Amino acid sequence: MHCGISKWSRPRAFTSARKYSGRYLCVTFLSGVLAPAGIRVKRYSQETVQRHVPGQFVCYHLPHRTLFKIQGQDTSPFLQGIITNDMGLLEVPGFSAMYSHMLNVQGRTLYDIMLYSLKETDAGQGVFLECDSAIKDSILRHLKMYKLRRKVNINPCPELSVWAVLSKKKNAGHEASKPELSSPDKVLVWETDPRTQEMGWRLVLESQIDPLDIIALCQKGDTEEYHRHRYAIGLPEGVKDLPPGVALPLESNLAYMQGISFSKGCYIGQELTARTHHTGVVRKRLMPVRFSAPVQGLEEGAALQTQSGKPAGKHRAGVGELGLSLIRMAHAKEVLTLKSSDDTTLALEASVPDWWPKDVKIN
């Protein structure tokens, strides 16, 4: 297929064309935000203003995510050839965070990553790369393998910690207000999660810094609640949800998470992904599922069936009664079954996430 760089675009949602440096960029904006389920707050009077109520935001420490600093004059062209998204987006004013996948040559996902532009105070061009902690050694080898003679330095950042910040308030149809920082100089990354507004904000700090000293009206939450929120809205993250060399990017809803450019030119694994996109046929998708009761010890890839015994997909991962499964779209509206490791038959139902485009066809 022809590989060329054309005008940039972002997949799905609402698009606005703006002119930068003599060319037009199609910049995608998401609308429609549902924050996590709110916690009731006692009303002391009818005049109580929500923003003055303590604990309006929740900070979740994410020890399962780690960071690399990639820095040097070749940072952008180096990453451009090995990720699904377009590094040019980080040069657009107002865009400092980007979601992407790295694929193998067969077009299957190896790693899900987030990239954050370094602050201007950092010397030279560069980014922070966030990835699953479990594959940090593997991704480092992957980066070094494709580095060749590029002028880039790649360094792990074990001294940094990644946090997710979510709003307790539900603001249907409106973007949640970004929390104010009391000490922005101590913050290395403070960006809206690029995958969907329902995931709040990403915060990177030095490990000894307490986010409660940085963000007003914030309280700490349990990391498992962060995962419950992800599974409830159907958003995959890390190797359990996206098994390396197994998951396909479009079946994993990469386009819906603003993680792929279909116009940037060549990158590793592009051919199959581009062909699938242009056929417009994705027969299976990763979807949020809810079991009839909390479950434990499900095997990765456990087979799903319809009530009549037809193959309906495979289970990926979850917590409690929530999870993610790769569902055949032809059976997405049916009650499905799965056999657990102790041979118990479990019932589950899939749902369509609110953050998906409204024109997604479910049979």
Side-chain angles (χ1 to χ4, degrees), residues 328-339:
R328 293 180 183 271
M329 302 300 281
H331 303 300
K333 291 184 178 180
E334 301 178 35
V335 176
L336 305 176
T337 62
L338 174 153
K339 282 193 175 182

Side-chain angles (χ1 to χ4, degrees), residues 121-152:
T121 52
D122 287 287
Q125 301 175 3
V127 296
F128 281 121
L129 183 151
E130 177 196 317
C131 65
D132 192 312
S133 302
I135 47 85
K136 62 182 178 182
D137 294 335
S138 177
I139 198 170
L140 182 58
R141 288 193 298 271
H142 184 78
L143 291 168
K144 288 183 175 179
M145 180 172 64
Y146 289 102
K147 177 185 172 183
L148 301 176
R149 293 186 176 90
R150 300 280 192 181
K151 294 181 180 179
V152 292

Side-chain angles (χ1 to χ4, degrees), residues 99 112 114 193-200 202 226-238 241-242 252-253 256-257 286-289 323-324 353 355-356:
Y99 181 63
D112 65 310
M114 281 198 266
D193 192 306
R195 298 169 294 185
T196 168
Q197 292 173 355
E198 292 191 36
M199 288 302 296
R202 256 341 196 234
Y226 167 81
H227 290 303
R228 285 186 63 84
H229 172 66
R230 284 199 306 104
Y231 287 128
I233 68 170
L235 191 133
E237 182 177 277
D241 302 337
L242 302 166
S252 305
N253 307 314
Y256 298 169
M257 294 185 284
L286 207 55
M287 300 183 73
V289 296
L324 281 170
W355 51 274
W356 282 17

